[in-house]
Amino acid sequence: MAGKGKKKPRKERKRETGEGREKAGAAEPEETASAEYHSEQHLSHSTPIEEKPAPIDLDLARQIIELEPPEGGTLPGLEDLEEPPPPEVPEEEEDSARIKRGMFRSRKLFSKPFTRAATRRAIDPQFWEEMTEVFIAADTGVQAAEDIVAATRDRVFSEGLTDLEEIKQAFRDCVAEMIESFGSPPPPPDEKPRILFIVGINGVGKTTTAAKIGYLFKRHENRVLFAAADTFRAAGIEQMEMWANRIGAPVVRHKTGGDPAAVVFDAVESGQARNMDVVIIDTAGRLHTKKNLMEELSKMWRVADRQLEASPQAVLVIDATTGQNGVNQARIFGGAMDIGSIALTKMDGTAKGGVVIAIGRELGIPVEYIGVGEGMADLRPFVPEEYARALI
């Protein structure tokens, strides 16, 4: 037929239909990618959008105190804040100097946030966080740490303090005030002799502490008698006798392995008959987790209590290196007898000593003595202001 041409070959028709369309479709993404590329190139060369400055956090700004140099001076540098180790002090040196020497390592811990604040030339929120962490690291407990820092921060802002030394003093005042809120050690009874039980777990230094407490009483013209009621520890009785001889005080003892309650009975009778001012009873170390040992300690307490019109008193010896475990010790020993006060020992080592704050805040037991060395005169009466100044 004239109006119709010949059919094209099958291969040609296929190329024009299916394959042609596939090729056309495959080209579309290349065109799209090219368009996107040119679009990005256009945007990269366009004028950048001007960003608005972030609004100032007024609450944060109010929390920052710019430190002012002392009158006629400059802010201390790092080398000025690095305190050298204090020299050894003679036996007759004042109490505060001895305590400060013994707590040198503790004080270095607390000085670090102040050193960093001096380099920043400001007291900012980070400083208060660092001080809270340091108090917690010193075993004061979380709540006590937060309370001390909060009270100090309020005082600093209300009084407008801008000097580092003034801020340090604010911390010292708040620490001392918290410790004073725990109360005072019990006064001596009117009746003589005053009976003191020295108690604590193994290894805290009870016998040595008993001797040092006796030495303090002797220095104040008190007549002292010791009772060697640690009858189970090897050489425990001999150790008590050695200390008593050094101090120049008599000691009541039984044979090794004897009944400690019988030693207590004889010591109280002897103290009454000889008109002694103080009878100091050295007890065996107790594991506060052992019920039978704590019951034996309760028996000794009851024996002394029946012999006296006034109740005996107890001093709990706490090793400053024990940390928060000291709180558990105080709680369980308090169940066996009336703990009147704490003797904090071994503050001359790597101890931090904040556990007395944790114990006082939770149980209301005050500190009466603090040990800052191995010498006879290194157990001192505890003074909150001196402790706070030695710490910070």
Side-chain angles (χ1 to χ4, degrees):
M1 293 176 60
K4 294 182 179 179
K6 289 184 178 180
K7 268 189 175 183
K8 293 182 179 180
R10 182 178 179 84
K11 287 184 179 180
E12 292 182 15
R13 293 200 309 272
K14 189 174 180 181
R15 282 196 298 268
E16 289 179 358
T17 56
E19 288 182 358
R21 284 194 300 270
E22 286 175 7
K23 289 180 179 178
E28 289 178 3
E30 294 179 5
E31 293 174 3
T32 303
S34 176
E36 289 176 355
Y37 172 77
H38 289 297
S39 175
E40 288 176 1
Q41 288 291 97
H42 173 71
L43 287 174
S44 66
H45 290 85
S46 62
T47 305
I49 299 173
E50 184 177 351
E51 295 184 1
K52 294 182 179 180
I56 298 174
D57 189 340
L58 294 178
D59 289 335
L60 180 62
R62 292 190 189 99
Q63 296 178 47
I64 298 176
I65 302 172
E66 292 187 5
L67 294 174
E68 294 182 359
E71 187 175 348
T74 60
L75 283 170
L78 289 177
E79 66 283 354
D80 300 315
L81 291 168
E82 288 294 330
E83 182 181 0
E88 293 290 325
V89 294
E91 188 77 13
E92 63 275 8
E93 185 68 44
E94 61 181 13
D95 295 353
S96 59
R98 302 188 69 83
I99 293 173
K100 190 173 183 180
R101 174 174 60 86
M103 294 177 66
F104 170 67
R105 289 183 176 89
S106 303
R107 191 164 57 258
K108 283 191 70 175
L109 183 70
F110 279 87
S111 69
K112 292 179 180 178
F114 288 97
T115 302
R116 287 190 282 266
T119 62
R120 295 193 295 263
R121 297 297 194 261
I123 297 293
D124 54 18
Q126 183 181 351
F127 169 80
W128 303 112
E129 292 176 7
E130 289 173 352
M131 285 300 293
T132 303
E133 291 170 1
V134 168
F135 272 104
I136 294 172
D139 298 324
T140 63
V142 175
Q143 194 57 58
E146 292 177 348
D147 289 349
I148 291 170
V149 172
T152 306
R153 185 174 57 236
D154 291 345
R155 184 170 299 186
V156 168
F157 279 99
S158 65
E159 297 181 10
L161 305 181
T162 58
D163 177 74
L164 271 181
E165 186 56 38
E166 290 177 342
I167 295 170
K168 280 186 180 182
Q169 187 59 47
F171 269 106
R172 294 168 188 146
D173 292 342
C174 289
V175 168
E177 288 166 10
M178 176 173 282
I179 292 174
E180 288 168 353
S181 71
F182 305 150
S184 302
D190 295 331
E191 176 194 8
K192 289 184 180 181
R194 180 182 187 181
I195 307 299
L196 281 182
F197 279 81
I198 311 300
V199 301
I201 67 170
N202 289 313
V204 295
K206 288 182 304 302
T207 302
T208 305
T209 301
K212 291 178 180 180
I213 291 174
Y215 176 74
L216 283 175
F217 277 110
K218 285 278 290 183
R219 287 180 61 185
H220 290 87
E221 306 299 327
N222 287 283
R223 293 168 54 83
V224 178
L225 172 71
F226 289 103
D230 183 358
T231 60
F232 297 112
R233 180 169 62 92
I237 296 173
E238 290 76 10
Q239 185 185 12
M240 187 73 262
E241 284 185 312
M242 178 197 71
W243 280 109
N245 290 334
R246 286 181 62 182
I247 295 167
V251 59
V252 173
R253 58 160 293 175
H254 285 191
K255 65 180 180 179
T256 301
D259 181 6
V263 178
V264 171
F265 181 87
D266 288 349
V268 174
E269 274 202 339
S270 178
Q272 291 171 329
R274 300 166 71 172
N275 195 31
M276 291 291 176
D277 295 300
V278 186
V279 174
I280 299 175
I281 301 172
D282 178 33
T283 65
R286 258 71 183 175
L287 295 175
H288 57 291
T289 54
K290 299 295 184 181
K291 184 178 179 182
N292 59 330
L293 295 177
M294 298 305 295
E295 287 176 350
E296 183 181 322
L297 191 60
S298 297
K299 176 186 174 183
M300 296 164 63
W301 179 267
R302 291 193 301 270
V303 167
D305 196 28
R306 285 196 297 265
Q307 294 174 269
L308 303 166
E309 293 183 11
S311 296
Q313 298 171 349
V315 177
L316 175 63
V317 182
I318 294 285
D319 183 334
T321 64
T322 59
Q324 286 292 298
N325 190 39
V327 180
N328 296 329
Q329 295 172 26
R331 185 184 297 110
I332 296 175
F333 274 96
M337 56 179 55
D338 182 18
I339 302 297
S341 62
I342 291 171
L344 184 67
T345 63
K346 303 184 183 179
M347 280 300 297
D348 54 323
T350 57
K352 292 162 285 190
V355 66
V356 297
I357 297 176
I359 293 172
R361 193 183 186 285
E362 183 167 334
L363 304 175
I365 303 175
V367 184
E368 187 168 8
Y369 304 102
I370 182 169
V372 292
E374 298 179 359
M376 185 68 73
D378 284 334
L379 184 77
R380 317 302 301 170
F382 182 83
V383 179
E385 293 80 7
E386 289 180 353
Y387 171 84
R389 177 166 289 279
L391 194 66
I392 301 173

